[in-house]
């Protein structure tokens, strides 16, 4: 299994993996168009047979702040350490870009805790973070948890 930057030919598999979980209320829906637009932000996990088994993206917010988002692992490949490897790749990517802090909005608090993230008050995140909420069906009743981790070794 390798983690590598996404290629244009991965877009459809990334989009269908994200939307599998979006249909189950676990993630925000993503169009194929927005997947192509954001493709440079993605890393994917590819198994020995060449199949895409997971994805993750890093979005920069401000001088010191980045978000790890669109994290998903194929349902029948969960629990094999792929999610951990993807988040580690996202951390390396955000660190390389110079971000000091990485946050996520998630229902998977325990998973992120194991990777060194801690729960934070959502209200401490900049307003810009909530721009995608306009398109979310849960906008007015959001129950996602915010988690944050320093990645600059401070
Ligand atoms: C969350 C998700 C990415 C985790 O991926 P995964 O490949 O199953 O996770 P890993 O196997 O790498 O697990 C890493 C560690 O977290 C633990 N873990 C994984 N999921 C967990 C959960 N739901 N609750 C508690 N611990 C969890 C694992 O036991 C493992 O612990 P260990 O290192 O002590 O052995 C995957 O379950 C998924 O795609 N979920 C649906 C989409 C989603 O909710 N994405 C998050 C959006 S922010």
């Amino acid at each position: 299994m390798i983690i590598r930057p996404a290629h244009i030919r991965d877009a459809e598999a990334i989009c269908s993996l994200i939307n599998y979980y979006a249909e189950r209320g676990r993630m925000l829906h993503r169009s194929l168009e927005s997947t192509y637009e954001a493709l440079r932000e993605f890393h994917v996990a590819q198994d020995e047979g060449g199949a895409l088994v997971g994805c993750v993206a890093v979005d920069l917010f401000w001088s010191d702040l980045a978000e790890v988002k669109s994290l998903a692992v194929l349902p029948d490949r969960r629990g094999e350490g792929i999610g951990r490897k993807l988040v580690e790749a996202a951390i390396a990517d955000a660190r390389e870009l110079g971000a000091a802090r990485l946050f996520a909005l998630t229902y998977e608090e325990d998973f992120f805790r194991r990777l060194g993230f801690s729960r934070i008050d959502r209200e401490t995140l900049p307003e810009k973070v909530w721009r995608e909420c306009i398109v979310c069906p849960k906008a007015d009743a959001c129950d996602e948890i915010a988690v944050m981790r320093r990645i600059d070794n401070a």
Side-chain angles (χ1 to χ4, degrees):
M1 216 263 314
I2 56 162
I3 309 291
R4 58 164 176 80
H7 188 279
I8 204 159
R9 63 175 171 265
D10 299 318
E12 290 194 15
I14 291 172
C15 193
S16 66
L17 177 54
I18 290 172
N19 290 332
Y20 170 87
Y21 288 114
E23 281 158 20
R24 288 155 182 80
R26 306 300 294 175
M27 298 178 74
L28 206 55
H29 178 269
R30 206 183 244 286
S31 68
L32 189 54
E33 183 185 358
S34 93
T35 306
Y36 280 117
E37 282 169 4
L39 203 68
R40 285 170 184 275
E41 299 169 3
F42 273 91
H43 275 76
V44 297
Q46 180 185 310
D47 73 8
E48 292 74 14
L52 188 146
V53 294
C55 63
V56 71
V58 167
D59 198 3
L60 285 178
F61 270 91
W62 205 242
S63 59
D64 68 337
L65 187 63
E67 178 181 11
V68 53
K69 61 194 303 186
S70 298
L71 169 68
V73 172
L74 272 187
D76 61 352
R77 298 300 301 266
R78 290 164 73 173
E80 296 179 25
I82 298 170
R84 173 187 286 277
K85 287 201 175 82
L86 284 165
V87 173
E88 285 168 354
I91 291 170
D93 193 21
R95 195 180 270 146
E96 179 83 8
L97 287 161
R101 298 179 298 150
L102 191 60
F103 76 91
L105 295 168
T106 187
Y107 296 111
E108 297 285 357
E109 180 182 0
D110 291 340
F111 165 78
F112 277 99
R113 277 187 185 281
R114 286 174 190 266
L115 290 160
F117 288 74
S118 308
R119 189 171 185 157
I120 56 159
D121 180 352
R122 289 161 26 133
E123 304 304 320
T124 62
L125 291 170
E127 209 172 303
K128 192 167 174 267
V129 169
W130 310 112
R131 69 186 169 195
E132 288 185 346
C133 302
I134 302 161
V135 296
C136 178
K138 293 186 187 172
D140 296 327
C142 175
D143 50 359
E144 282 193 318
I145 291 156
V147 293
M148 178 90 82
R149 187 192 138 157
R150 287 208 73 96
I151 55 171
D152 59 353
N153 301 320

